[in-house]
Amino acid sequence: MTGKTIKELSGLLREKKISARELAGAYSERIQKYNDSINAYITFDNDILMKEAEESDARRAQGAPLSEYDGIPIAVKDNICTRGMLTTCASGILRNFIPPYDATAYQKLKAKGFLTLGKTNMDEFAMGSTTENSFFGPVKNPHNQEKVPGGSSGGSAAAVSAGMAPVSLGSDTGGSIRQPAAFCGVVGIKPTYGRVSRYGLVAFASSLDQIGSFGRTVDDAAAVLGVISGHDSRDATSIDREIDFGGTIDSDGVKGLVVGVPDEYFRGLPDELTGAIKKKISDLESMGARIEPISLKYTDYAVPIYYLIATAEASSNLARYDGVRYGYRAGNIKRLGDLYTRTRQEGFGKEVKRRIILGTFALSSGYYDAYYTKALRGRTLIINDFKEAFRKVDVIITPTTVSTAFGIGEKVSDPLSMYMSDILTISANLAALPGISVPIGKDSSGLPMGLQIMGNHFQEKKILQAAGAIEKISEPITPDI
Ligand code: GLN
């Protein structure tokens, strides 16, 4: 049962071939069996899950399901607020934080009858690319437990990959959905900035953060994204646009599609990965798409621009963790100043501290123009690069990552090399564009490879169609754990 898509599961529930309780039970068993090794969940509460499943069965028995998804379980990244359920952001500073309200995205899922499997592990405050920066220990890649699952939404990607959730929510500030999707061999989509409400998403870098979804198939990821999208009066940056995707994706739609391929995104990759991506692009061409070489000439600047803007915003957003209003508070305090410093010193992990310091520096008087303002100007150049490209093409296809999953511990002591590994995903966030990663098979060492498709603003439907076409011509990847 745990290998099925949510389309299939929703059919089984509708025909009463399975109950929500049986389904929840199957996932619960699987989580209890594998979570000790994979560490995908920070919080798993069987009682809550079973109670929600019973309520779902009762609604179906009365012929009144909340939607076709009533009874489908979903895992939620631990930076998305869930009322009454621990929401830690994988940080020591929020180790005891139980939100008094639901994030809009989660509340929309509940309104359709989705069941809560639990809260997934991540890099602390979503800062990282491996899920090694978690207060609760690293997540393992289900395809090879010596490897990282990617990050920061590593728990959400690993859960879907390992059959510990059929679908999940993640967040993507610089690639945190697409990169772990690629490393774990699942589909992950980050929508256009503004598509999904950020209300109740614990802020990292507010001008870049977006919630999105993971699934085993393009249809599944699209279905969840369709449910959580839409305007929310509680997030002024959310946008009221027609949601023209979410059902079954028509993947025959690549005829005439113009696909841009930027040279800059194929530098320094292993030949095997380049070859696999290029092969899919030429397959699309034989299916009727037109391939157009393009240039995204400011790509090399994306990493420094991102790491200035993201850290600047983070240093401001994280100022609220002062030991007074939220979460952890240091004990044995004699002076007010000590309360702040000791709480933050004991509560935050190393990477979070590094970013607060970097961001504070970039915003400080005397350096603001040299770093922060300059980064904002650079961001505009990147936006213009894409504007120009989308005058000629419908979608842009690239690899999602510069390599397949790296080893646990391999890059932790070298933050710069870790930051550099984000080069192919962060531009979409800087330019507010939607992007998706689709699995296209395994490399010779058995690790999944991901292909990224980026679209113009609000063109989720187009990237989903192209992703559906790629999916059709690629082998599904299931780990044998
Ligand atoms: N790896 C990037 C970072 O460390 C992106 C993280 C994210 O998208 N949340 O900031």
Side-chain angles (χ1 to χ4, degrees):
M1 219 185 301
T2 51
K4 294 206 183 319
T5 67
I6 65 167
K7 294 270 147 168
E8 291 164 340
L9 293 173
S10 113
L12 294 172
L13 286 164
R14 188 182 59 241
E15 292 156 17
K16 305 224 158 51
K17 295 216 167 96
I18 54 167
S19 67
R21 245 172 321 177
E22 283 167 329
L23 185 56
Y27 277 103
S28 163
E29 224 171 79
R30 188 125 178 127
I31 293 169
Q32 290 176 60
K33 185 159 171 208
Y34 291 112
N35 203 48
D36 277 352
S37 54
I38 304 291
N39 203 20
Y41 286 88
I42 292 173
T43 300
F44 167 67
D45 190 325
N46 198 47
D47 294 342
I48 292 181
L49 174 64
M50 287 306 163
K51 187 173 158 282
E52 288 182 3
E54 266 167 41
E55 287 165 3
S56 168
D57 283 334
R59 285 190 295 268
R60 280 215 192 251
Q62 284 164 8
L66 294 172
S67 77
E68 59 186 303
Y69 306 117
D70 202 330
I72 304 278
I74 188 163
V76 178
K77 186 175 179 179
D78 211 24
N79 59 351
I80 296 171
C81 286
T82 45
R83 187 158 52 116
M85 195 188 267
L86 207 56
T87 299
T88 69
C89 276
S91 180
I93 215 155
L94 289 178
R95 69 187 87 167
N96 297 320
F97 178 59
I98 298 181
Y101 64 96
D102 281 334
T104 300
Y106 174 61
Q107 182 256 320
K108 277 173 177 274
L109 290 168
K110 285 213 304 199
K112 297 280 185 208
F114 278 90
L115 315 179
T116 318
L117 278 175
K119 305 298 294 290
T120 55
N121 204 349
M122 53 184 281
D123 285 297
E124 183 178 2
F125 284 103
M127 297 174 188
S129 313
T130 60
T131 321
E132 290 165 296
N133 302 333
S134 167
F135 180 70
F136 301 95
V139 178
K140 310 279 172 61
N141 190 318
H143 289 273
N144 176 341
Q145 295 191 27
E146 319 255 277
K147 304 284 179 185
V148 301
S152 64
S153 316
S156 292
V160 171
S161 163
M164 294 157 77
V167 279
S168 60
L169 289 190
S171 69
D172 190 312
T173 304
S176 276
I177 290 176
R178 291 158 288 155
Q179 185 255 24
F183 280 8
C184 290
V186 297
V187 176
I189 181 165
K190 171 201 106 69
T192 310
Y193 184 83
R195 194 49 117 167
V196 177
S197 168
R198 287 181 297 112
Y199 180 76
L201 168 68
V202 180
F204 160 15
S206 307
S207 79
L208 302 159
D209 299 339
Q210 267 295 287
I211 297 176
S213 56
F214 291 93
R216 207 162 291 124
T217 61
V218 174
D219 270 358
D220 278 5
V224 171
L225 188 63
V227 171
I228 62 174
S229 293
H231 177 250
D232 177 10
S233 58
R234 289 188 283 202
D235 172 6
T237 63
S238 76
I239 294 177
D240 193 9
R241 286 287 283 245
E242 188 203 348
I243 301 163
D244 56 354
F245 56 87
T248 301
I249 301 302
D250 160 25
S251 48
D252 299 325
V254 296
K255 224 184 189 106
L257 191 78
V258 186
V259 176
V261 182
D263 222 16
E264 294 85 350
Y265 278 61
F266 288 83
R267 291 186 194 144
L269 266 61
D271 290 344
E272 203 181 358
L273 186 52
T274 308
I277 305 283
K278 292 258 160 97
K279 169 79 172 74
K280 295 296 171 191
I281 294 172
S282 74
D283 289 347
L284 282 186
E285 190 170 24
S286 42
M287 290 158 78
R290 186 155 65 77
I291 310 303
E292 185 78 38
I294 57 167
S295 169
L296 295 169
K297 51 186 181 301
Y298 291 104
T299 302
D300 279 347
Y301 298 93
V303 171
I305 291 168
Y306 169 86
Y307 277 95
L308 282 165
I309 293 175
T311 55
E313 293 186 18
S315 72
S316 157
N317 274 325
L318 271 59
R320 73 189 67 172
Y321 305 102
D322 53 10
V324 178
R325 282 174 296 176
Y326 302 94
Y328 176 76
R329 175 183 298 172
N332 260 332
I333 297 293
K334 302 214 170 49
R335 287 201 312 260
L336 179 65
D338 292 347
L339 172 70
Y340 301 143
T341 48
R342 289 253 321 279
T343 295
R344 290 166 71 81
Q345 189 182 0
E346 292 166 21
F348 288 135
K350 199 167 154 198
E351 181 61 25
V352 172
K353 285 179 187 155
R354 177 167 21 238
R355 296 198 187 198
I356 292 173
I357 293 168
L358 270 172
T360 307
F361 179 74
L363 289 176
S364 58
S365 154
Y367 293 102
Y368 189 97
D369 285 336
Y371 293 109
Y372 184 64
T373 311
K374 203 160 182 186
L376 291 182
R377 292 211 178 99
R379 183 176 190 171
T380 304
L381 294 174
I382 290 193
I383 293 170
N384 291 342
D385 249 3
F386 281 104
K387 262 193 194 147
E388 205 173 299
F390 283 121
R391 271 198 269 277
K392 293 190 292 197
V393 304
D394 296 306
V395 298
I396 295 172
I397 293 189
T398 73
T400 309
T401 52
V402 290
S403 71
T404 50
F406 29 88
I408 292 179
E410 193 181 319
K411 283 189 201 280
V412 266
S413 53
D414 186 355
L416 205 56
S417 135
M418 186 81 95
Y419 297 171
M420 286 309 290
S421 73
D422 293 333
I423 183 149
L424 306 184
T425 49
I426 52 189
S427 294
N429 301 75
L430 290 168
L433 303 168
I436 187 168
S437 180
V438 207
I440 54 162
K442 291 181 180 180
D443 71 0
S444 46
S445 61
L447 291 169
M449 298 182 287
L451 175 147
Q452 174 174 238
I453 308 169
M454 292 180 275
N456 209 346
H457 300 127
F458 303 103
Q459 297 296 311
E460 280 83 0
K461 189 175 171 182
K462 257 188 206 157
I463 63 170
L464 285 163
Q465 278 175 342
I470 297 284
E471 179 175 64
K472 263 192 191 161
I473 53 169
S474 305
E475 290 287 316
I477 331 179
T478 333
D480 31 42
I481 56 168

